Amino acid sequence: MSGNETKDIHPAIDPGRRKFLGTTAMAGAALGLTACGASQSSGDKAAAGSAATAASSGHDAYEVPPGKLDSYYIISSGGHSGEVRILGCPSGRTIKRIPVFNIDPMLGWGITNESRAIIGTRPDGQLKYWTGDTHHIHGSYKDGTYDGKYFWVNDKLNARVARIRGDTFETDKITELPNVQGQHGLFSDKRDPVDAAINYTTRVFAGAEFHIPLPNDGRDEESPDKYGCLFTCLDANSMDVRWQCRIDGNMDLVATSYDGKLAASNQYNTENGIHYEDMMSAEQDACVFFHVARIEAAVKAGKFTTIGDSKVPVVDGRKEANADPKTALTCYVPVPKNPHGVNASPDGKYFVCSGKLSPTCSVIDLALVNKWFDGELAKPRDAVVAEPNVGLGPLHTAFDGRGNAYTTLFLDSKIVKWSVDGAIAQFKGDAKAKVIIDAIDVHYQPGHGFTSMGETKEPDGKFFNSGNKFSKDRFLPVGPLHVETEQLLDITGEKMKLIHDHTAYPEPHDAIIVRADIIKTRQIYDLNEFPNAVKTKEESTIERNGNKVHIRLMSQAPAYSMREFKVKKGDLVTITLTNHDKVEDLTHGFGIPKYNINFVVNPQETKSVTFVADKPGIFWCYCTHFCHALHLEMRSRLIVEA
Ligand code: K7E
Ligand code: CUA
Ligand code: CA
C-alpha cells in the first residue's frame, strides 16, 4: 500500500484553492510553506509506513546489492555548489562529483594549468570566476536518444555553458555568453546530425532570465524599458556562440523539438518587471518559440545587429518585428501565470508549461505552432490543446512514454500523475474525461522531476526522481543547513510508489536518467593525448630558463621519477606530472605543503601546475591519493633555496 492511498487521490481537491495566486495569496503560500512540516505530518507517517511495507514485502527490483551495479546513471546539476553529480539509479549512491564552475582540490580543478585554461583566467593570471550555479544538464542526441558523447550544463551566475565529456565525465570546455545575465534554461538540439563530420548534436540553446541594458555598460541603468533578454545558440562542437535572438519578456527553462525545427522557453516575466509584484501582475505570460531555420537564414542573410564589443550576430525576435507569421522568427504562445518549466513529451508532439502561480499545466501542440508559422493558425494561443488543473505550484513535468505526465507540485509537496490524452479530451469539452490518475506526497517542495530516459524517444517509464528543495525531518539533523532530498518513485504501475529517499547536497536541481548501457567510459587515458606528457625517464628533467623552472615528472607507484628538485626562491616553477601507471583505478596525487598545490593524475594522464616559489625551505611533495602499500612513502623533496 502506498502512502497516497490513505488520502484523497486528488492533490488539490478543494476548489477554493484552485485559483490563480495573486501577490497576497503568494505571500500566504510562502508562510504556509514554512509550516508544511507540521501540517503534513500525517502524510509523512503514511509515506514512512509505505516505505517500510515496500521494504518488508521485498521489492528486489529496487535493491542494488553489494557488488552489483545500478541500471541507470542519474546525471544531476548541483545548483549553487557549481558542480555536477552522478548518482546510480535506483540505489541513489553518489558515484561521482564533477567540478565544473567550482574549485575542487581533490581533482585539482581550478589549480592545474589545464583546468584553469578551461575555466578562463584574467590577464593577471587569476581565475576569471571561481563560482557558478548549475541548473540544467542535457546530453548529446543521436536518433532521438542519448549517444553518451557529451553533456552540457548552464551557469546561471556568470552566464556560461560548460561541456562534460561522456567518456571521462570531466569538463572539457566552458563558454561565457555575451550580452546576457542569469543564463538559466539550456537544451541541446535533438535533431539527427546533418553534418556527417560532427556526428552528434550540433547546437545547444540557452535562455537568459534577467533583463539587462544592452549593452550593459552603465548607460541605461535607470531606463528599464531599454533592458532586454537574449536567447543564445552555441555550436556544440566548437562551443562558440553562433547567434542570439532578442525577445520580449524573459526566459526560464528551454526545450527543443525532436525534429529540430523548434526551441522554446517559458516566460514568467512578460511584464518586464523589475520587482516581483510587477513580474506577477499579468494573468498570462507566455512560452516563446524560436523558428531555428528562419533565424539561421536571417543570420546568413546578414539581417542582424551586434551589441557592444560582442561580434555575435543578434536577430530581432521581438513581437513588433515578427507580426507576420510567415516570416516570424518567434511565436509567443500565451499561458497562465508566471509559468515555470517547459518540457517536451517523448512522442515529439507536445511541450508542457507548468503554471506555477496557476494550478494548471498548458499543453502546447507543436504541429499547431508550426501551423501558425505557416500562416494557417489564427492565434498562437490556439496551439494550446489542454490546460488541466493539476494542483498548487506546478513546476516541472516529466513523461513515462505511456501517455502520462508527472508534474511536481511545489506548494502541495506532491507529484501528480495525469493523462495527456485525458486532458486534451477534457479541454475539448468531454466532462467525463479522466485526467488525474494518481498523486503522491514527496518530502518536501519538489522542483524538478524527471523520468528514466524520459527526455528521449526511448522513455521506459520505470523511475521518476523528485528533486526536493526541503528535507526538514527526513534525515538526522545536522544544524541549520539541512541536506536536501531526492526521492525515487517506481512509476511502472497505475499508482506511483515511493522507493526511497537519498540525500542531496544543496541543491538538487535538474537531472537526466540515462540507461547505463549508453554510457561508455574509459579507464585509462592515452599518453599521446597530452602534448606536454613526460613520456620517458630521459624526458624527466629540470629545465631552467632565466627564473622560469620546468620540472618534468613521472609517477609510477610507489615513486615519482625524481627524488628531489631544487629551485631558487622567487623562481616561477611549473611542474608537469605524467602518471605512467596503466592499472585501472591507479590514480596518484600530488600535494605541495604551504603552496596550495593539490591535484591527481589518472592512469596515463598528464597535468601541470605553476607557482612562484616564494617560501624557502624543504617541502615534501607527497602523493595525496591512496595508491599502493607504500603510498605514504611516495614523496619527493622540493628544495627552495633562499
Ligand atoms: Cu530548473 Cu528553478 Cu532553475 Cu525549476 S528551474 S526548480
Ligand atoms: Cu601514489 Cu599514493
Ligand atoms: Ca508574469
Side-chain angles (χ1 to χ4, degrees):
M1 182 191 100
S2 63
N4 52 304
E5 285 172 52
T6 61
K7 307 183 83 180
D8 258 319
I9 220 78
H10 199 282
I13 205 101
D14 174 4
R17 299 170 72 206
R18 309 170 120 288
K19 284 191 232 129
F20 291 4
L21 294 173
T23 308
T24 10
M26 195 59 200
L31 285 175
L33 191 154
T34 57
C36 76
S39 69
Q40 290 203 337
S41 60
S42 61
D44 297 348
K45 281 188 202 107
S50 83
T53 315
S56 61
S57 62
H59 283 105
D60 298 338
Y62 315 137
E63 210 181 312
V64 184
K68 290 281 186 286
L69 302 182
D70 280 294
S71 40
Y72 298 86
Y73 290 84
I74 298 182
I75 304 175
S76 174
S77 60
H80 44 302
S81 69
E83 64 181 22
V84 162
R85 296 92 185 245
I86 302 180
L87 315 178
C89 174
S91 76
R93 292 168 185 148
T94 301
I95 304 174
K96 187 165 188 174
R97 294 169 52 188
I98 307 169
V100 185
F101 302 114
N102 56 333
I103 304 296
D104 182 70
M106 188 287 290
L107 199 69
W109 194 253
I111 296 169
T112 62
N113 293 326
E114 293 73 21
S115 62
R116 293 165 61 84
I118 292 168
I119 298 167
T121 52
R122 302 190 302 218
D124 68 358
Q126 294 294 310
L127 284 177
K128 189 166 182 196
Y129 305 110
W130 49 85
T131 174
D133 185 15
T134 62
H135 280 228
H136 303 112
I137 184 155
H138 292 289
S140 51
Y141 283 79
K142 201 179 168 193
D143 302 328
T145 193
Y146 302 124
D147 62 4
K149 206 167 159 71
Y150 287 117
F151 300 91
W152 290 274
V153 66
N154 77 305
D155 170 19
K156 177 168 169 174
L157 189 64
N158 294 313
R160 291 175 292 173
V161 173
R163 187 173 72 182
I164 294 167
R165 283 166 58 158
D167 61 345
T168 58
F169 279 125
E170 291 194 358
T171 307
D172 84 332
K173 276 184 191 277
I174 294 178
T175 299
E176 184 174 355
L177 310 186
N179 310 322
V180 298
Q181 242 174 57
Q183 195 277 287
H184 191 197
L186 171 145
F187 219 112
S188 32
D189 198 351
K190 299 196 197 92
R191 101 176 66 194
D192 294 341
V194 273
D195 180 350
I198 308 165
N199 197 19
Y200 56 89
T201 296
T202 52
R203 294 172 190 77
V204 177
F205 299 102
E209 193 179 336
F210 303 152
H211 292 82
I212 50 168
L214 300 169
N216 191 20
D217 56 6
R219 78 180 76 163
D220 287 326
E221 62 211 57
E222 295 304 337
S223 321
D225 53 309
K226 290 195 182 142
Y227 290 16
C229 265
L230 303 175
F231 184 73
T232 302
C233 174
L234 293 103
D235 184 296
N237 188 41
S238 68
M239 289 288 283
D240 293 336
V241 176
R242 281 192 183 175
W243 49 260
Q244 295 184 303
C245 178
R246 183 165 181 181
I247 56 149
D248 287 317
N250 78 331
M251 286 163 286
D252 178 33
L253 208 66
V254 170
T256 55
S257 67
Y258 282 90
D259 60 11
K261 287 183 183 164
L262 300 171
S265 186
N266 60 296
Q267 307 187 284
Y268 66 79
N269 188 15
T270 51
E271 301 92 337
N272 296 350
I274 299 281
H275 307 292
Y276 80 90
E277 301 90 331
D278 309 328
M279 298 181 201
M280 53 201 280
S281 61
E283 285 311 312
Q284 281 187 329
D285 288 289
C287 183
V288 55
F289 283 81
F290 299 89
H291 194 299
V292 179
R294 282 188 195 167
I295 290 174
E296 297 196 342
V299 171
K300 222 174 174 178
K303 292 182 201 153
F304 61 79
T305 54
T306 57
I307 296 172
D309 301 334
S310 160
K311 294 195 173 58
V312 171
V314 178
V315 298
D316 191 349
R318 286 174 291 181
K319 284 180 188 163
E320 208 171 290
N322 293 277
D324 179 3
K326 286 191 168 168
T327 56
L329 309 181
T330 51
C331 171
Y332 296 78
V333 177
V335 294
K337 167 184 185 175
N338 285 33
H340 188 100
V342 54
N343 298 93
S345 65
D347 59 11
K349 290 186 190 165
Y350 308 110
F351 281 4
V352 174
C353 284
S354 306
K356 190 167 77 184
L357 303 191
S358 154
T360 54
C361 281
S362 303
V363 180
I364 301 170
D365 186 328
L366 301 189
L368 294 177
V369 174
N370 281 318
K371 240 178 153 178
W372 182 85
F373 276 119
D374 292 339
E376 290 165 17
L377 191 75
K379 300 191 305 291
R381 174 69 194 172
D382 295 342
V384 174
V385 293
E387 211 151 68
N389 280 312
V390 294
L392 290 185
L395 293 190
H396 291 283
T397 298
F399 303 88
D400 63 7
R402 296 186 297 267
N404 302 305
Y406 299 77
T407 299
T408 55
L409 301 176
F410 182 82
L411 297 178
D412 276 331
S413 280
K414 282 176 193 288
I415 308 302
V416 55
K417 173 181 178 180
W418 52 280
S419 157
V420 177
D421 284 344
I424 293 171
Q426 183 190 57
F427 196 72
K428 279 189 188 140
D430 178 356
K432 284 203 210 100
K434 189 164 164 60
V435 181
I436 305 295
I437 296 168
D438 190 22
I440 189 169
D441 289 335
V442 289
H443 311 86
Y444 305 89
Q445 271 78 36
H448 279 272
F450 33 93
T451 50
S452 42
M453 296 298 286
E455 300 200 85
T456 73
K457 282 192 168 170
E458 302 181 312
D460 58 26
K462 287 191 183 153
F463 295 109
F464 175 97
N465 191 89
S466 178
N468 304 328
K469 306 298 191 192
F470 290 76
S471 70
K472 298 182 184 290
D473 50 6
R474 298 299 276 192
F475 304 107
L476 286 175
V478 286
L481 178 63
H482 292 224
V483 74
E484 319 297 10
T485 346
E486 307 245 31
Q487 288 185 303
L488 198 64
L489 308 181
D490 176 338
I491 55 166
T492 53
E494 171 96 349
K495 292 191 155 299
M496 296 172 275
K497 265 183 241 159
L498 176 62
I499 304 171
H500 67 78
D501 292 14
H502 52 267
T503 59
Y505 189 63
E507 156 186 282
H509 204 98
D510 195 12
I512 52 179
I513 307 183
V514 181
R515 241 178 28 239
D517 65 85
I518 291 172
I519 305 290
K520 305 256 187 291
T521 59
R522 300 160 57 186
Q523 301 307 319
I524 296 176
Y525 281 95
D526 179 349
L527 212 69
N528 298 310
E529 283 173 70
F530 304 94
N532 58 340
V534 186
K535 291 189 179 160
T536 60
K537 191 97 190 150
E538 289 67 46
E539 287 183 13
S540 178
T541 53
I542 303 179
E543 295 156 15
R544 174 174 286 277
N545 185 356
N547 72 336
K548 287 190 182 144
V549 178
H550 191 176
I551 298 165
R552 293 167 55 78
L553 204 58
M554 305 175 348
S555 61
Q556 193 153 27
Y560 300 111
S561 55
M562 283 183 263
R563 303 291 165 104
E564 61 180 49
F565 11 94
K566 266 190 201 144
V567 301
K568 292 193 181 67
K569 185 181 174 214
D571 281 346
L572 182 67
V573 179
T574 295
I575 296 177
T576 299
L577 175 59
T578 299
N579 183 3
H580 276 250
D581 275 305
K582 280 187 182 159
V583 180
E584 177 177 342
D585 205 12
L586 214 174
T587 295
H588 295 289
F590 194 82
I592 311 179
K594 313 296 183 189
Y595 274 99
N596 272 320
I597 300 292
N598 186 6
F599 64 100
V600 296
V601 275
N602 292 301
Q604 302 283 295
E605 188 181 29
T606 298
K607 284 181 183 169
S608 67
V609 289
T610 299
F611 58 96
V612 177
D614 54 2
K615 289 172 283 288
I618 298 290
F619 301 92
W620 283 102
C621 302
Y622 71 99
C623 179
T624 53
H625 200 90
F626 214 110
C627 57
H628 189 273
L630 293 175
H631 158 74
L632 290 179
E633 290 81 351
M634 185 169 176
R635 45 188 162 121
S636 294
R637 281 189 306 163
L638 167 67
I639 301 165
V640 182
E641 295 173 332

